Amino acid sequence: MFNPSLYQQRRARLLQQMQRGIAIVPTAPEALRNGDAHYPFRFDSHFHYLTGFDEPESVLVMLAGDKPQSILFCREKDMEREIWDGFRYGPEDACKLFGFDAAFPIAQLDDKLTELMGNQPALFHPLGAHAVWDDRILALRTRVQAKSRSGITAPNEIHDVRMLLDEMRLIKDNSELDIMRRAANISAAAQVRAMRATQPGKMEYEIEAELLHEFRRNGAAGPAYTSIVAGGTNACVLHYTSNNTRLKDGDLLLIDAACELDGYAADITRTFPVNGKFSAAQKDAYEIVLAAQTAAIAAARPGSHWNQPHDDALRVLVQGMLDLKLCSGSIDSVLESGDYKRFYMHRTGHWLGMDVHDVGNYKLKDQWRDLLPGMALTVEPGLYIRPADNVPEALWNIGIRIEDDVVITQQGCEVLTHAVPKTVAEIEALMRPS
Ligand code: GLY
Ligand code: MN
Ligand code: MN
């Protein structure tokens, strides 16, 4: 049974922070694929965070002040449409079951908003997220302004409501962490299944199918982002998603794939040998990335700022680049010149939550923000070595990334994705034929 109190508490917190004014938060639009076929509907994350209500064509309106109110606009019951498209709650039941103060048919939105906006000093809205909503809401505000001779005023402050919501979402509550742990466990099982299924001669998409199978059979909505299943040289293409190459004996396979469960993403990368045994050169490069990741995870704790894990991982990676003769000089000179960017061109992580690259600022007043308990982030250093004249040939086309999801705790961090093998010995043991 759905428990509305969690969402009511989130709305109450937002209303308190708004202090006064009206907030309008629509869910995502439905997207047409072609003809009358739609892309699968995915609610807007902010809307879901505040309501738990996942039907399309829904809008949350909130009024702050002495008598705070949360009002839902949603589709009406419609037997004809329900025969074609499935169940819908309708305003009356949605109001009761999801704990709103009132609910109205979505068709009444414009007229009701014209009323509700009257005499509100401030308007909060995800400004710029959807041009269609920006235009519609500004046009409604103009309608309110036209009532000025009746003594009614329109909001004269407009705020991006995401400034408040992003900060709320940055610190995960227990219910969110529970879902994220489950999303991480399903994703970890999928990565293990993919490792077990890998053999020379298979196609990358066959391994992708193993991942999808594990996601769906455990109730996940599907991948949280397009799965990357990149054998050999494909691993050096950071956003490779074609997944249509045959896997070769002697190559590595990089898999960056994880599921979305109940609106929350995991994000895992593992890199392992197609034939189950690392070559000497692959092992050398792999151990460097693993050491960098270990250093970054150690820095993911209260007392660190956002960039500390990246800084620490980078120093380990650069030392490794010097050891492998990919770069020359000292750690500081390579950091200073940026020469390492030939082999490591992305950052070591991002916030994680409902969105795989989740919301929340990384800096506050020009300073990297402090890591605090409840913040969830990825830790994902890598090394990508393309063929070049001054690069030892044994390392050509090796692409490695190791990515885990962590939540900052009081003492350090909890690694949500610990269940996927990561050391050379663990991976080789898992892949050894029994
Ligand atoms: N899978 C997307 C990322 O790692 O950022
Ligand atoms: Mn990531
Ligand atoms: Mn990833």
Side-chain angles (χ1 to χ4, degrees):
M1 182 72 184
F2 180 80
N3 177 1
S5 69
L6 177 70
Y7 300 91
Q8 287 171 319
Q9 284 164 28
R10 290 178 186 162
R11 293 197 293 269
R13 275 175 58 210
L14 178 61
L15 283 161
Q16 223 169 29
Q17 292 179 62
M18 287 165 57
Q19 294 179 2
R20 64 213 177 93
I22 179 169
I24 305 169
V25 183
T27 197
E30 290 179 285
L32 203 59
R33 189 162 190 254
N34 48 46
D36 57 1
H38 286 80
Y39 285 104
F41 176 70
R42 165 55 158 80
F43 45 75
D44 173 80
S45 297
H46 286 313
F47 180 85
H48 176 85
Y49 181 79
L50 291 170
T51 64
F53 188 75
D54 294 345
E55 287 185 19
E57 296 186 82
S58 309
V59 177
L60 171 66
V61 175
M62 297 169 65
L63 302 171
D66 297 340
K67 287 196 200 124
Q69 273 196 74
S70 293
I71 304 167
L72 178 74
F73 289 81
C74 67
R75 302 179 304 188
E76 286 190 272
K77 295 291 292 172
D78 178 338
M79 272 328 288
E80 170 72 7
R81 287 318 318 160
E82 291 185 51
I83 285 169
W84 285 89
D85 301 330
F87 173 82
R88 38 174 88 176
Y89 283 97
E92 205 176 312
D93 281 357
C95 185
K96 276 193 270 184
L97 295 169
F98 291 81
F100 296 101
D101 299 302
F104 298 102
I106 189 71
Q108 294 179 18
L109 181 69
D110 286 4
D111 286 347
K112 289 276 182 209
L113 272 182
T114 314
E115 270 172 45
L116 294 169
M117 251 194 237
N119 296 329
Q120 290 293 343
L123 170 61
F124 294 77
H125 163 64
L127 213 53
H130 299 288
V132 172
W133 277 108
D134 288 352
D135 291 350
R136 184 165 169 184
I137 287 169
L138 286 180
L140 290 172
R141 182 174 170 271
T142 304
R143 252 163 80 172
V144 180
Q145 280 173 321
K147 300 204 255 180
S148 64
R149 268 169 304 199
S150 327
I152 294 172
T153 57
N156 61 11
E157 281 173 30
I158 301 186
H159 301 273
D160 189 341
V161 71
R162 291 174 299 184
M163 297 289 286
L164 301 173
L165 281 170
D166 290 0
E167 283 298 304
M168 286 174 66
R169 279 175 51 191
L170 183 56
I171 307 287
K172 272 65 184 176
D173 60 37
N174 285 336
S175 117
E176 294 181 287
L177 291 178
D178 177 56
I179 303 171
M180 289 183 75
R181 282 188 196 102
R182 286 189 285 123
N185 284 338
I186 295 170
S187 306
Q191 287 271 353
V192 168
R193 184 186 182 102
M195 250 183 223
R196 287 209 168 102
T198 296
Q199 277 174 11
K202 282 200 178 172
M203 299 296 286
E204 290 165 341
Y205 54 69
E206 291 180 76
I207 308 304
E208 182 182 10
E210 299 289 338
L211 297 159
L212 298 177
H213 179 90
E214 197 66 22
F215 296 160
R216 287 295 287 151
R217 84 186 193 92
N218 284 295
Y225 51 92
T226 308
S227 306
I228 296 172
V229 182
T233 182
N234 294 337
C236 294
V237 179
L238 296 179
H239 292 163
Y240 175 82
T241 51
S242 314
N243 302 352
N244 58 3
T245 307
R246 198 172 291 286
L247 296 171
K248 287 214 295 279
D249 200 352
D251 276 354
L252 291 174
L253 176 59
L254 181 155
I255 297 182
D256 185 345
C259 71
E260 176 176 308
L261 179 77
D262 296 347
Y264 286 80
D267 186 4
I268 307 182
T269 309
R270 287 293 184 269
T271 310
F272 53 93
V274 167
N275 63 14
K277 185 107 185 81
F278 285 87
S279 72
Q282 288 167 350
K283 184 165 179 290
D284 288 346
Y286 188 88
E287 295 287 12
I288 290 164
V289 179
L290 185 57
Q293 206 223 18
T294 305
I297 289 175
R301 57 177 167 74
S304 287
H305 59 68
W306 160 260
N307 214 42
Q308 195 64 52
H310 175 71
D311 287 344
D312 290 4
L314 190 53
R315 291 192 79 82
V316 177
L317 287 174
V318 169
Q319 179 61 59
M321 291 175 203
L322 295 170
D323 296 345
L324 293 178
K325 310 244 175 305
L326 295 171
C327 296
S328 54
S330 65
I331 294 183
D332 288 331
S333 72
V334 173
L335 288 173
E336 173 75 20
S337 68
D339 193 36
Y340 67 86
K341 290 182 185 160
R342 288 187 292 136
F343 308 106
Y344 184 50
M345 55 300 277
H346 60 77
R347 299 190 59 80
T348 303
H350 49 82
W351 302 130
L352 180 73
M354 301 191 73
D355 304 342
V356 65
H357 289 189
D358 207 33
V359 295
N361 288 330
Y362 291 91
K363 280 191 169 176
L364 295 177
K365 296 196 182 130
D366 278 347
Q367 300 290 323
W368 294 116
R369 73 187 305 158
D370 292 334
L371 293 178
L372 299 173
M375 290 176 169
L377 54 140
T378 66
V379 183
E380 50 177 308
L383 208 48
Y384 312 93
I385 310 172
R386 285 170 175 267
D389 283 347
N390 50 359
V391 170
E393 199 167 334
L395 296 169
W396 285 7
N397 295 319
I398 288 180
I400 296 168
R401 178 165 63 256
I402 308 173
E403 176 174 29
D404 281 301
D405 304 340
V406 309
V407 180
I408 306 298
T409 59
Q410 297 293 338
Q411 284 82 30
C413 72
E414 172 186 348
V415 181
L416 300 180
T417 47
H418 60 85
V420 201
K422 198 157 64 171
T423 65
V424 166
E426 285 167 351
I427 290 173
E428 291 187 346
L430 184 103
M431 295 187 74
R432 199 168 295 134
S434 43

